[in-house]
Amino acid sequence: VSARTITIIGCGLIGGSLLKALSRQGAPLRAVDRDEKTRLAIHAELGLNAQADLSGVEQSQLIVLALPVTQLSELLPRLGHALAHSAGVTVTDVAGIKLPVIEAMERWLPSHVARVGGHPMAGKERGGYGEADAALFEQKTVALCPATHDADALRTVEQLWHGVGARTLVCDARDHDKAVARVSHLPYLVAVSLSLVAGRGDSLSARLAGGGLRDTSRVAADPTVRQAVTRNPNVAALAREVAAELLALANAIDMGQPTDEALDAAAASRQRLFPVR
Amino acid sequence: VSARTITIIGCGLIGGSLLKALSRQGAPLRAVDRDEKTRLAIHAELGLNAQADLSGVEQSQLIVLALPVTQLSELLPRLGHALAHSAGVTVTDVAGIKLPVIEAMERWLPSHVARVGGHPMAGKERGGYGEADAALFEQKTVALCPATHDADALRTVEQLWHGVGARTLVCDARDHDKAVARVSHLPYLVAVSLSLVAGRGDSLSARLAGGGLRDTSRVAADPTVRQAVTRNPNVAALAREVAAELLALANAIDMGQPTDEALDAAAASRQRLFPVR
């Protein structure tokens, strides 16, 4: 194992995409996945012998935990043990929520391990290695929340993401979680709620369903967001805000009251967030 | 004016797209738009002298009312007057809600005019002739709701849409309005409510906003849906259903209760509506 080895633990959509993108660069790579089919697919496609366990992980320069937040709590104690006598190792992750992950890393990893929380703002409708795509991170933003004061470690993680075409943005973990509650976890809950109600329609409604419903409901099927959403303490209040807006619109429509102000404000807000022309 | 002339009244996104697609086929066409800039653009691009008024409209075989539902109430009395002595004219429209339009057509158009309500399930983020696109209707569904028993008239309107690449689906106006409430007007209100709340975030949330929010909020800026939504009597109850789902999810998240059942059901519902693989 080279001293500059990058180890990716978890080779689903995010970890697998990172693996594919990095293997093109010829970087010294190790992959860990507990699923045998995934390991065989990695070997067949990239010629890389993915391993099922953590043996040798302490010799990595950089370890990327590409697991859903639910699986980190199981992995981190074992990883902490494996890194007890390591030197110069940086650990980063890809979970959609940062404060609980950073707290768990602080609890389970030895203090000599540099820790940088990471969150690539990239997803797909389906997860798993089969969906992995070397181009997944191109032009995407990756939020980085350094948990230890280590400029070299931060630079290492920044270089990882810049190397696969992403831009990075350093921010505080609490601020990150508040912001993604609004722009990622809230849209997920909205898409989920819409999908539940849309699915109660008849066959005519299914036949008339077009691009509007397709886009508005898309992230309901996105497995990359789901795990983080229910662990974000900021999202419930925002979901209630959206519910209140919906109820206000429903009441106005029922009463024949004007809705132009709200509809104009929404169109303007959307235009500010995603300018067209 | 040829007896087979198609007249398009209103040359915004939908009417303009139809005009462009039909002019490629060399069909005898007339265009009516009250906006001078639009008329000049049509002349510059298609070499067609669009007119500002309805003169000669009674000589059309087919008249397409490509106006928002709000403008139909002003146009229909004048059109009814113009068609008082016409023969063999079919009138169709493109509004997103059909029952009120069919009732207004029945009220204002002479009984010898064949009437077929129409609704192309196609839109864009911006309206206006400048956004018109000859390919807009390709592979899209157009719902048709015949208001008079006239098989020839229905066939004429079906041929219009098939000729520009769309498929047609004949249904009852009441059923149509119920179905689009669920799959088109509801997603619009959901996107509007989300856009309002998303827009209240700070600059970090704007920088972290990605594909999830972009897709979930897209139709909030779609001008083609807006006019019909608030005139659909079926949509308010559905908006309340979505609000109830959001509040239930918010409560479960706050109480640390499991949400897997709802999230699984939503993903399955979305997969049924828009199968991936």
Side-chain angles (χ1 to χ4, degrees), chain A residues 155-196:
Chain A
R155 205 169 309 121
T156 298
V157 179
E158 285 176 331
Q159 281 166 359
L160 168 82
W161 291 111
H162 296 165
V164 299
R167 52 184 168 257
T168 54
L169 186 164
V170 175
C171 60
D172 172 76
R174 225 172 234 102
D175 294 342
H176 167 276
D177 291 356
K178 270 182 66 177
V180 295
R182 193 177 295 269
V183 300
S184 170
H185 300 169
L186 178 65
Y188 171 76
L189 290 182
V190 163
V192 159
S193 301
L194 173 64
S195 295
L196 289 171

Side-chain angles (χ1 to χ4, degrees), chain B residues 68-81:
Chain B
V69 63
T70 37
Q71 287 174 38
L72 286 178
S73 53
E74 193 213 316
L75 175 85
L76 280 170
R78 292 191 290 125
L79 183 65
H81 192 256

Side-chain angles (χ1 to χ4, degrees), chain A residues 195 200 215 218 245 269-270, chain B residues 195 200 215 218 245 269:
Chain A
S195 295
R200 289 172 199 149
D215 284 359
R218 182 181 65 80
E245 296 295 346
S269 168
R270 210 277 175 184
Chain B
S195 296
R200 289 171 199 150
D215 284 359
R218 181 180 64 82
E245 296 295 346
S269 166

Side-chain angles (χ1 to χ4, degrees), chain A residues 117-133:
Chain A
H119 177 204
M121 311 297 287
K124 257 194 172 182
E125 279 188 47
R126 310 271 284 206
Y129 181 77
E131 294 289 316
D133 172 4

Side-chain angles (χ1 to χ4, degrees), chain A residues 205-272:
Chain A
S205 66
R207 292 178 70 190
L208 291 180
L213 180 61
R214 180 187 294 116
D215 284 359
T216 320
S217 65
R218 182 181 65 80
V219 288
D222 185 341
T224 53
V225 178
R226 177 170 172 163
Q227 310 290 351
V229 172
T230 55
R231 278 161 187 80
N232 192 327
N234 307 285
V235 79
L238 294 168
R240 292 195 181 93
E241 267 187 61
V242 174
E245 296 295 346
L246 274 170
L247 293 172
L249 287 165
N251 289 342
I253 290 169
D254 267 355
M255 316 270 281
Q257 287 166 351
T259 51
D260 280 344
E261 210 175 309
L263 304 185
D264 287 343
S269 168
R270 210 277 175 184
Q271 169 73 13
R272 272 193 307 274

